[in-house]
């Protein structure tokens, strides 16, 4: 039996937020990103994704968070049981940090 299944299950359940809290936080991130985009302070999410996703071949894109105060998108990926976070400056589209593989 492969170990990948139990590892992915553990990872998914350990990092999954409670539905009520997680849904509210993600919705707030989306609203904040929308407002910043409307004000011209950041690039559209689709443009950020268009720059980053091609560099993450072999990974599953899990979604994003947006830090309103810093104007930073954090895109989350899963590859070989490892979660990878890619931080992108929302105003320039430049990758400024990465954790994981």
């Amino acid at each position: 039996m492969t170990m990948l299944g139990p590892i992915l299950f553990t990872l998914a359940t350990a990092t999954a937020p409670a539905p009520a809290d997680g849904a509210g936080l993600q919705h707030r991130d989306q609203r904040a990103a929308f407002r910043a985009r409307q004000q011209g302070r950041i690039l559209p999410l689709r443009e950020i994704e268009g720059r980053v996703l091609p560099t993450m071949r072999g990974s599953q894109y899990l979604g994003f968070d947006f830090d309103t105060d810093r104007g930073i998108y954090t895109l989350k990926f899963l590859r070989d049981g490892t979660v990878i976070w890619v931080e992108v400056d929302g105003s320039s589209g430049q990758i400024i940090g990465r954790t994981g593989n």
Side-chain angles (χ1 to χ4, degrees), residues 32-34 36-44 66 71-73 90-91:
F34 178 78
R37 173 63 190 125
Q38 291 297 98
Q39 295 168 354
R41 294 185 291 125
I42 62 168
L43 297 170
F66 181 69
I72 303 293
Y73 287 99
S91 60

Side-chain angles (χ1 to χ4, degrees), residues 26-96:
Q26 184 176 12
H27 188 69
R28 187 175 65 211
D29 289 341
Q30 291 171 346
R31 283 193 321 255
F34 178 78
R35 281 193 306 273
R37 173 63 190 125
Q38 291 297 98
Q39 295 168 354
R41 294 185 291 125
I42 62 168
L43 297 170
L45 174 62
R46 297 295 173 234
E47 186 170 336
I48 299 293
E49 290 172 336
R51 294 178 185 201
V52 176
L53 269 58
T55 70
M56 299 298 295
R57 297 201 192 287
S59 299
Q60 177 186 359
Y61 180 45
L62 301 176
F64 79 100
D65 291 322
F66 181 69
D67 183 330
T68 309
D69 297 331
R70 299 183 327 154
I72 303 293
Y73 287 99
T74 302
L75 281 65
K76 295 179 277 188
F77 298 87
L78 181 64
R79 179 188 298 147
D80 298 327
T82 301
V83 177
I84 302 166
W85 291 271
V86 179
E87 289 189 334
V88 181
D89 181 297
S91 60
S92 69
Q94 297 294 312
I95 294 174
I96 58 174

